[in-house]
Amino acid sequence: MDWQKEDLKYIWHPCSQMKDYETLPPIVIERGEGINLYDINGKCYKDVISSWWCNLLGHCNPRINEALKKQVDTLEHVIFANFSHKPVITLCEELMKVLPKGLCKFNFADNGSSAIEMSLKMSFQYHYQTGNPQKKRFMALTDAYHGETLGALAVGGVDLYSELYKPLLLDVIRIDGPDCFRCPYGKCRDNCNCECFEKAEEAFQKHADETAAIIVEPLLQGSAGMKVYPPLYLKKLRELCDEYNVHLIADEIATGYGRTGKMFAFDHAGVSPDIMCLSKGLTGGYMPMAVAITTQKIYDAFYDDYLKGKAFMHSHTYAGNPLACSCAVEVLRILKDENIIEKANKRAVYFNRIIKEKFLPLKNVGEVRSIGLINAIELVKNKETKEPLDSTKRTGYQIYKKALEKGVILRPLGDVIYFNPPLIIEEEDMDFVTDIALECVNSVLI
Ligand SMILES: *Cc1c(COP(=O)(O)O)cnc(C)c1O
């Protein structure tokens, strides 16, 4: 059977111009092991993007497999209104041990975008029920990404995804966020005072009265090209939110679970958000699950006699799915038992060093930026002026195709090449994937 042909007969792949598949047909994967994926012909691909950033501990991790198998023979799913089960309670207990202070109430969903929708609704309803019904708008940063459903898309600021749908979207207050590579203040992210924060202050002065919440991807704007900004920004934002009674929503869907070198990106800032969204690494990349976690204070504003009509009438059929929870519990145990984040941080030093050595000297590399094991290489036309490459040339895409031939999955964001590997990646694979990436960059950008 020609699996590729059959695939294209039926399947409309996500986030793809399907015509591109004429020259790059879908790669049909048969099995996975560690950071390796193997296609139906036995060819190996290094999954250094963690299959859209969710695979945390390698494919077919023996411990997660075991936990999942055990759960599937016990209970696969149960309605989550009025019913509960051990895996979800255990998961909350385990998460409580690692979450930023104050987060203690868990509302489950089945994908990241849904958790974002839930947070926005929750924040609005909190203000509505505590005497501030005029707080019905949201603030978000430029270049933000929060998912694809209409609410999540509205707070997002990457035009590639949202521009076309503007007529359908909420009117969000957009704040010029940190842009450390092309800093308009001429500062450097390692020692600045977040001068760009004045944009947030201006927005709060003008709009805080009508604002329920501000949502951010803490420290790392992933989809915008792995843009990294300093923790001080979050600290300042916490103070501003407190001053103006605006919720701080942390979208830790991509940054949680050790991706930035600490369990959560907010841990770098030493402050807590009012609502935190988790997904992706939550189940180790095994099962679709997400959660919006909030404070006692927000929870209490919904707690009253039924006829007062204050309940949060929001549900997802698969909320709290036991199979997903059993994976999520095992992920937390592995992180702890095997000291995963600490070990990953050690190897991250090596990874960052070889990437800088290999790529910084190239004439088209504007910046190498890193946080945790995530490393991004921004390609530019001119190193001095930081002028971008001509995007119509699709340079990143050409590099992606070359690297696939050589067995490495890079999938650049525009002309930003990045690595966001499972936390278990070893030095030998770091050497291999960076060599291939370098070869591909050099062959495309001659
Ligand atoms: C992936 C992602 C989302 C959306 O999650 P989905 O499960 O794809 O809906 C939201 N925010 C961030 C930061 C993400 O990386």
Side-chain angles (χ1 to χ4, degrees), residues 53 111-114 116 145-147 217 223 251 253-254 279-280:
W53 318 347
N111 66 80
S113 306
S114 297
I116 299 293
Y145 181 85
H146 299 292
E217 295 162 274
S223 300
D251 178 353
I253 292 167
S279 188
K280 295 207 162 100

Side-chain angles (χ1 to χ4, degrees), residues 281-328:
L282 177 63
T283 65
Y286 267 64
M287 302 284 296
M289 182 162 79
V291 60
I293 312 165
T294 189
T295 58
Q296 186 72 43
K297 187 175 172 188
I298 291 181
Y299 177 84
D300 284 346
F302 294 72
Y303 196 91
D304 211 333
D305 295 330
Y306 180 80
L307 289 179
K308 295 268 172 65
K310 287 188 181 173
F312 190 45
M313 299 304 284
H314 181 111
S315 63
H316 294 288
T317 309
Y318 285 101
N321 175 262
L323 298 175
C325 289
S326 66
C327 294

